[in-house]
Amino acid sequence: MLPRGRPRALGAATLLLVVVVVVGFFLFGRDPEYGLQATATLDGDPYGSRNRSTSDLQPLLPLKCELLHVAIVCAGHNSSREVITLVKSVLFYRKNPLHLHLVTDAVARSILETLFRTWMVPAVTIRFYDAEELKPWISWIPNKHYSGLYGLMKLVLPSILPLSLARVVVLDTDVTFSSDIAELWALFVHFSDKQVIGLVENQSDWYLGNLWKNHKPWPALGRGFNTGVILLQLDRLRQSGWEQMWKLMAKRELLTLQATSLADQDVFNAVIKEHPELVHPLPCVWNVQLSDHTLAERCYLEAADLKVIHWNSPKKLRVKNKHAEFFRNLHLTFLGYDGKLLRRELFGCPSQLPAEAEQLQQAMAQLDEEEPCFEFRQQQLTVHRVHITFLPHQPPPPRPHDVTLVAQLSMDRLQMLEALCRHWSGPMSLALYLTDAEAQQFLHFVETSPVLSVRKDVAYHIVYREGPLYPVNQLRNVALAQALTPYVFLSDIDFLPAYSLYDYLRASIEQLELSSLQRKAALVVPAFETLHYRFSFPNSKAELLTLLDAGSLYTFRYHEWPQGHAPTDYARWREAQAPYRVQWAADYEPYVVVPRDCPRYDPRFVGFGWNKVAHIIELDAQEYELLVLPEAFSIHLPHAPSLDISRFRSSPTYRDCLQAFKEEFHQDLSRRYGAAALKYLTALQPSQSRA
Amino acid sequence: MLPRGRPRALGAATLLLVVVVVVGFFLFGRDPEYGLQATATLDGDPYGSRNRSTSDLQPLLPLKCELLHVAIVCAGHNSSREVITLVKSVLFYRKNPLHLHLVTDAVARSILETLFRTWMVPAVTIRFYDAEELKPWISWIPNKHYSGLYGLMKLVLPSILPLSLARVVVLDTDVTFSSDIAELWALFVHFSDKQVIGLVENQSDWYLGNLWKNHKPWPALGRGFNTGVILLQLDRLRQSGWEQMWKLMAKRELLTLQATSLADQDVFNAVIKEHPELVHPLPCVWNVQLSDHTLAERCYLEAADLKVIHWNSPKKLRVKNKHAEFFRNLHLTFLGYDGKLLRRELFGCPSQLPAEAEQLQQAMAQLDEEEPCFEFRQQQLTVHRVHITFLPHQPPPPRPHDVTLVAQLSMDRLQMLEALCRHWSGPMSLALYLTDAEAQQFLHFVETSPVLSVRKDVAYHIVYREGPLYPVNQLRNVALAQALTPYVFLSDIDFLPAYSLYDYLRASIEQLELSSLQRKAALVVPAFETLHYRFSFPNSKAELLTLLDAGSLYTFRYHEWPQGHAPTDYARWREAQAPYRVQWAADYEPYVVVPRDCPRYDPRFVGFGWNKVAHIIELDAQEYELLVLPEAFSIHLPHAPSLDISRFRSSPTYRDCLQAFKEEFHQDLSRRYGAAALKYLTALQPSQSRA
């Protein structure tokens, strides 16, 4: 602003001067503030450095509600996590509808499809493009960059994006926004008629070719340009024969150079070296590059405002930089940012939600806030964001009797994971109920655990927290849906299975010929418990029975809730040599092994109570045989009572609501199974006093 | 941006037109985009609604590194929480140094002083003004608004702020920024020579005076103005005799009206009604008012961008509004935002950190990242943000033998609080190690708990999480420093004291004449443990002994770590009728009652191990008598092992580092106590095998 006391006419004069310059750009097609001579080179004067007054006369922003297009190439588990943080940063500042064009491999597609479907952000639409199909277009180019083939795919975007699309912003997955992407989009206005590619100068000396002896980079104009952030004028690129152009250039250079070192960036720079008229240099703040030997400081020390940070070192956030802390804080902001808060409408823009989300919103609106079970009903309807296979995962090879352990947990059970991995050597599918910030802690926990980091057969699915009640059955359903073996062991996180259980279950499935006979069976794994933290786990049924007799172990919930496991018939199990059939009875909730296409858990049971009981009823109603396995067992370890169980015990409303949901569940059962469901209703009566 | 294909000359022409209009404002002093006739009234066209292209030609922003001044009135525990969220939102978007002028009562001052000292945000300076001293200036004005006298204090800001200060932004504590405050500051440029107060129109019909029969609001221009966000041109206000002016006006209106309904806002509006030339109307987006019957929709549905949200309903976030979810999400962003991420430098601006923070940064920089204990040393140096008395709290009346229970916990022990309150009826000082988001969950937990919400004698101090290791002794020191009684009971959160303990301790302190004799004593409360969650707590020593004999209770860590409590001499305690003295021995770590000026805990012990042992050594070195109380006891409840203890058990580095810190501790002891400290070193040798 103007210093106090100076005549306002002087302010007006300054402004007029600035304006004449800006208007000059419009009329004559070159902006001295943005031109290659000045702002875009590291040795010049960066955008808006000396005085914000002039630079912040921003370029014309897009119209309210104008749709902006963004293209990103993303492959694999780790890049999928990265891209979500990038998207969060974009969504945080954006005020326009966005259309994302995502070029993905199968892994990223399945992760991101689930994520965006459950995220339900208004005014964001997605289209996927199969990276597999693009490989033939670029796989002939030898490449040494860590992005592999995928980096090169940016070159073919003009050929594969819809013909109707005239402009697109292309982003690497390792950038973070700290400003509205509309401001970046607005820079298209400054392109001259010939300019088709907007890029920021490379903020390192790489392309100068003097980094070490015999360092031979690809040709580039000066320091070259970085392709982490690109503005593509697609229509003109297509007209100018872009596809021919870059292929020719790449082939020519590959005659003397063996491979690309920096993937697409080498090719882009080679083309630009030959055709400098194609490039529109962007202000350096739109791609602040934190590579290992970055010169970015020359940009950001002067600039008033950083727009996009680019973590283009292979070390990513661990890059050595004296201001790294500052940039990390920006990035951590979005890593830990609660994604559900980005479900913000754009006021005044039409039709922003997919139909599914629209219906959900209406259902939510119909709930009665004064009803005593309102909180429960709201929780039941809540659609949680789901990030499947958060960490690298190798699906198990197809084997007809294989079993996946299925369970769910939240942060306070993380310390169970290592022990669980030691006890169960087979595949697992685990749903974790976490905040975005906790998901990062979890990531760190796994990466630093020698036991967990080597297990690629454990799939972790993050279900993001929302609402006050623990959505236990929704979590179980997520883990169950992601199990990839023909059978699943439906367990709980506080149980450690017998060391032999994984092998024994597969052998039992084979012996019982469950798959070949298409036998509808639920194999019961008898449950025990210990009250001691330090406890030497029995290596066999014989050892377990000794501990049981010594009073060091109990059958599960023997004192508090015997009917939960009574039908398992522990006395018979002691002696049993072969699987034996048991009958359903009220409140039975054993841990079972079933085919993975078994019924889902009923999501109406949130918080504490009846969540497994209802599932066993469903199995029984669908005529699953209940077969107890004579050598199987698992043992519950002690833990402090959950907040949900404390609330259940202290709140009459909580108990009343659970009762109401049990009745609704029974009504649904009658509707679906008719008279056959009567036995469950009859059985319900005497147990009403409890949960 | 311009539609594709339209000639660029047209864009230039549009820009020129806009420019002429803006320049016109500079020369002739009225901006048609901001004038009362157009943008600022609800029936007009809000700022930037039709087309962002024109409105986003922003006003001139302040210079890089220009200091902006903000004044806020804040009193009490709840407003202190509010103001921190406001400040976080301002800091998130700001790019300028800020000076905060905080008018506070004693409670808010003590909270905010601690917070900002430990927050150490670069380029933020604070000055406090005592609200108590301002009361005589405004207490003669009868006021019915919920803000009480404090709201009215905004009227006297021109009189109390430094004379050298020409401009200030004044904010209510219940506003949230979603833009850079520099843009607001920039609006000062648009003030005419006469205009001294910048305000947004009131977005309700209140001042139209037709809300109900006999509704007689204070006089106002049209809908009047809202004072949640004010730009004050202080120099001109002082020149124009503001103090006289508002007092006269208030006195005149109070002849017919009994009191102000909306505090300062009524007075501001009365002045403006009489002197409309004083007000500079601001665009509605700078104060989007979510009161109960808000008309704000007319503003935000059209606007491209909301700048400041104002929660000016007494219901705050629970206000009924069909877009409330949107606004809540903005607000929740900053409620849960990790404040440490705001410790961002402003690149290129000089001297931003207080000396203390500068030293800390240097100490951190000197740590060797390759050293095996680097993580520990980093954690030891970490200064955590501290928010003392996070919830309303009444200090205990001064009583010579009173005792405060001191403990620390994190989220996973929240369920202990209710039981603890039932067992201990006296004052407590608890440090909670939480993230910002968890602090909000904790707030909700206390507010909805019938047991906790009534206890105003429990002070909760939030220590914000930072770093991988649990800073157990730093937490204890925070809780200890905030204890306000002459004695403290240094306990742990997993222990429940005997029901009678509070009364018994006070009686013992009196009987032992600790205070009158200035006797340096540490009273030992013997510790026991149970392995059962459901457990009927003994009502007397006799009952406890019965349980002990029955094997339902043990002396604490009897199996794992007997030396921790052996010197308490449980056998003697069984029979004891009077306090008895015991001698220190290696590894002794009893729970003790001491004067509150006792030595602090040694903050070098982070994570698991030796944190209490070192404190007891310190007491012994300072010649505290160790007296075991014959009727005192407390019982440890079971819980799952912490992540820290698991790491300790599994990591040799962890154990080696702990050993190194023990040795450093002993070196310090020798330095401070000379030969007297030798016995601790000698005692250390045999126990090296353990921790």
Side-chain angles (χ1 to χ4, degrees), chain A residues 280-296:
Chain A
H280 177 85
L282 301 176
C284 64
V285 290
W286 285 105
N287 184 348
V288 176
Q289 300 148 41
L290 300 180
S291 56
D292 285 319
H293 303 284
T294 182
L295 307 171

Side-chain angles (χ1 to χ4, degrees), chain B residues 237-255:
Chain B
L237 273 166
R238 291 185 203 109
Q239 283 161 25
S240 64
W242 166 254
E243 203 180 318
Q244 291 296 94
M245 203 189 304
W246 74 259
K247 280 186 180 162
L248 267 172
M249 208 62 68
K251 281 178 184 158
R252 193 179 76 189
E253 294 304 326
L254 284 167
L255 295 176

Side-chain angles (χ1 to χ4, degrees), chain A residues 189 235 333 337 534 639 649, chain B residues 8 333 337 533-534 649:
Chain A
V189 178
D235 46 1
T333 290
Y337 189 76
R534 301 195 183 188
H639 57 82
R649 287 186 188 137
Chain B
R8 344 188 77 233
T333 289
Y337 189 75
Y533 295 110
R534 301 195 182 187
R649 287 186 188 137

Side-chain angles (χ1 to χ4, degrees), chain A residues 131-200:
Chain A
E132 210 50 51
E133 290 175 13
L134 305 190
K135 282 190 177 166
W137 301 43
I138 38 97
S139 55
W140 55 273
I141 309 174
N143 173 33
K144 292 185 287 194
H145 191 245
Y146 64 81
S147 63
L149 271 185
Y150 295 102
L152 289 165
M153 289 183 187
K154 283 185 274 173
L155 291 166
V156 305
L157 285 172
S159 310
I160 62 149
L161 292 175
L163 273 178
S164 57
L165 195 61
R167 293 184 196 83
V168 71
V169 174
V170 184
L171 301 173
D172 275 1
T173 55
D174 56 357
V175 304
T176 310
F177 272 67
S178 72
S179 58
D180 186 352
I181 194 170
E183 293 178 39
L184 178 59
W185 186 266
L187 300 179
F188 272 121
V189 178
H190 299 290
F191 279 45
S192 73
D193 287 346
K194 291 245 171 81
Q195 294 175 339
V196 289
I197 307 173
L199 290 169
V200 172

Side-chain angles (χ1 to χ4, degrees), chain B residues 12-28:
Chain B
T14 313
L15 185 67
L16 244 180
L17 191 71
V18 170
V19 154
V20 168
V21 164
V22 172
V23 172
F25 152 77
F26 267 84
L27 295 174
F28 309 111

Side-chain angles (χ1 to χ4, degrees), chain A residues 34 160 175 212 218 337 377 385 423 474 530 533 559 610:
Chain A
Y34 292 78
I160 62 149
V175 304
W212 57 80
W218 278 49
Y337 189 76
R377 298 202 188 273
R385 265 177 310 137
H423 279 252
Q474 293 183 48
T530 168
Y533 294 110
H559 299 285
W610 240 62

Side-chain angles (χ1 to χ4, degrees), chain A residues 53-123:
Chain A
S53 323
T54 49
S55 65
D56 276 305
L57 265 180
Q58 289 178 359
L60 303 188
L61 284 186
L63 293 173
K64 185 170 160 86
C65 307
E66 181 178 337
L67 183 65
L68 313 186
H69 291 266
V70 179
I72 306 172
V73 180
C74 175
H77 297 92
N78 294 335
S79 286
S80 296
R81 281 202 316 280
E82 263 187 16
V83 83
I84 292 164
T85 308
L86 158 62
V87 168
K88 280 176 170 180
S89 75
V90 171
L91 290 177
F92 183 82
Y93 296 101
R94 66 93 182 233
K95 282 137 205 147
N96 285 70
L98 296 178
H99 187 77
L100 304 183
H101 301 265
L102 302 179
V103 179
T104 50
D105 68 348
V107 164
R109 175 159 185 161
S110 122
I111 294 171
L112 296 173
E113 239 173 14
T114 310
L115 182 87
F116 282 108
R117 180 170 46 73
T118 53
W119 199 351
M120 299 194 286
V121 184

